[in-house]
Amino acid sequence: KGSGITSFLNIYLKMLEEKNTIKRLNIKHSVFNHEELLQIIGEMFLPENFSKFEELIDYLNIKDNRQIVVIENLQYLYLRDVKGFNCLKVLTAIISKTSKNIFWITSITLYANKFLNKTIRINEAFGHHIFLNPFNSEQIADLVKIRNSISGYNLEYVEDMKILRKKEFNRISSEQKQNLLEKEYFNSLNKFAQGNVSLAQLYWLRSIKE
C-alpha cells in the first residue's frame, strides 16, 4: 500500500479507455458477507440489478458485455478466520467463470498477497502477476523535490546538534553542507517510509520547520 498501485493502474487504463468499456471498483472498507459483496460489485453495472451471484455471472457472460473490470484492494475481502475467506472465494469463482468475456484486473498489498497465496492459492485465479518494487531513496528524493518545486519554496536543510559537533562538517563550504544534509535527510526519510511514496510525502511535510 502506498507503492503507486493506483497511479500504475491510472496510467495503464488511460491507454485502454478509448477502445474498451472499463468498470472500476475501489474497496475502501472490510467486506465479509456475500450480500454486501454482491451489492458493491453490482453497483458497477447499474441500472442492472442482481439478487444472486448466478445472475451476475450470466450477465457478465453475455457477448455484448465484453469489458475490463478493475477491483482494487482485495485485502479488504478477508478475515483471518475459519470462514474469513468466503468472499474472496466467491470473487475468484466469478472471475474463473467469466474470464472468457471479462478481462479482470485486481490489486492487493504484497503482504496480503503472500498470505492469501499460501492459504487459498489466490494467484492461481489470475494469468499474470505484476509485483511493484518499492521506490529507492534516490527516487523518493526526486519525487519529493519535484513536488516541492511546484510549491515555489526554496529548500534549506537545517543542521542538528549532532552533526554540528563534527569538525569535518564545519570545515566544508555551505553548498557542500547542504548536499550532505540533503543526502542524510533522504536516507533517513526512506528508512521510515520504506519505499512508500504517500508516507514519504507525509513525513516530508511534517518535518518542515518554516
Side-chain angles (χ1 to χ4, degrees):
K1 188 174 178 61
S3 65
I5 296 174
T6 299
S7 298
F8 177 80
L9 286 173
N10 289 342
I11 294 168
Y12 178 64
L13 294 174
K14 191 169 183 63
M15 296 187 292
L16 300 175
E17 62 186 5
E18 290 186 6
K19 297 181 180 180
N20 300 276
T21 299
I22 300 175
K23 297 288 172 58
R24 190 168 180 177
L25 169 65
N26 187 354
I27 303 172
K28 297 181 179 180
H29 64 275
S30 299
V31 179
F32 303 125
N33 64 72
H34 291 179
E35 292 77 16
E36 187 176 4
L37 179 63
L38 180 60
Q39 179 186 342
I40 63 172
I41 294 178
E43 287 174 355
M44 287 193 288
F45 307 103
L46 290 173
E48 298 294 329
N49 188 33
F50 311 105
S51 59
K52 51 187 178 179
F53 287 112
E54 287 75 14
E55 294 175 0
L56 171 64
I57 292 169
D58 290 341
Y59 172 80
L60 293 176
N61 280 327
I62 296 173
K63 189 175 181 180
D64 291 341
N65 291 335
R66 289 177 65 88
Q67 58 195 294
I68 297 170
V69 178
V70 183
I71 301 181
E72 297 183 64
N73 296 316
L74 292 191
Q75 68 270 13
Y76 289 127
L77 292 183
Y78 80 96
L79 273 177
R80 287 195 168 194
D81 188 79
V82 175
K83 296 182 180 180
F85 303 109
N86 286 351
C87 281
L88 266 179
K89 288 180 178 179
V90 168
L91 178 61
T92 53
I94 294 171
I95 290 172
S96 177
K97 293 176 181 178
T98 60
S99 59
K100 289 184 179 180
N101 208 45
I102 305 296
F103 187 78
W104 293 88
I105 302 173
T106 68
S107 73
I108 188 171
T109 60
L110 186 59
Y111 175 83
N113 177 260
K114 288 180 178 179
F115 173 72
L116 292 170
N117 205 35
K118 288 180 180 178
T119 51
I120 61 172
R121 298 180 178 178
I122 191 171
N123 286 358
E124 293 182 4
F126 303 96
H128 304 279
H129 312 109
I130 300 172
F131 295 93
L132 298 186
N133 295 317
F135 290 89
N136 60 40
S137 184
E138 185 178 340
Q139 290 170 317
I140 291 285
D142 289 341
L143 289 167
V144 170
K145 286 188 285 187
I146 289 170
R147 181 72 176 270
N148 181 79
S149 67
I150 296 170
S151 71
Y153 288 98
N154 294 323
L155 286 179
E156 182 179 343
Y157 297 92
V158 182
E159 309 94 334
D160 59 18
M161 292 304 298
K162 183 179 178 181
I163 198 167
L164 283 172
R165 295 191 189 101
K166 296 181 178 180
K167 292 181 180 180
E168 60 271 22
F169 178 79
N170 292 309
R171 290 172 184 160
I172 60 179
S173 67
S174 297
E175 184 179 352
Q176 289 173 319
K177 286 179 180 178
Q178 285 297 301
N179 290 336
L180 179 62
L181 290 170
E182 178 182 290
K183 183 178 179 180
E184 290 198 358
Y185 173 82
F186 281 108
N187 283 338
S188 177
L189 178 72
N190 207 38
K191 285 180 182 178
F192 282 107
Q194 295 184 347
N196 184 316
V197 177
S198 301
L199 281 180
Q201 294 282 4
L202 176 63
Y203 291 144
W204 166 261
L205 293 173
R206 292 291 296 269
S207 66
I208 293 173
K209 298 294 183 182
E210 184 180 347

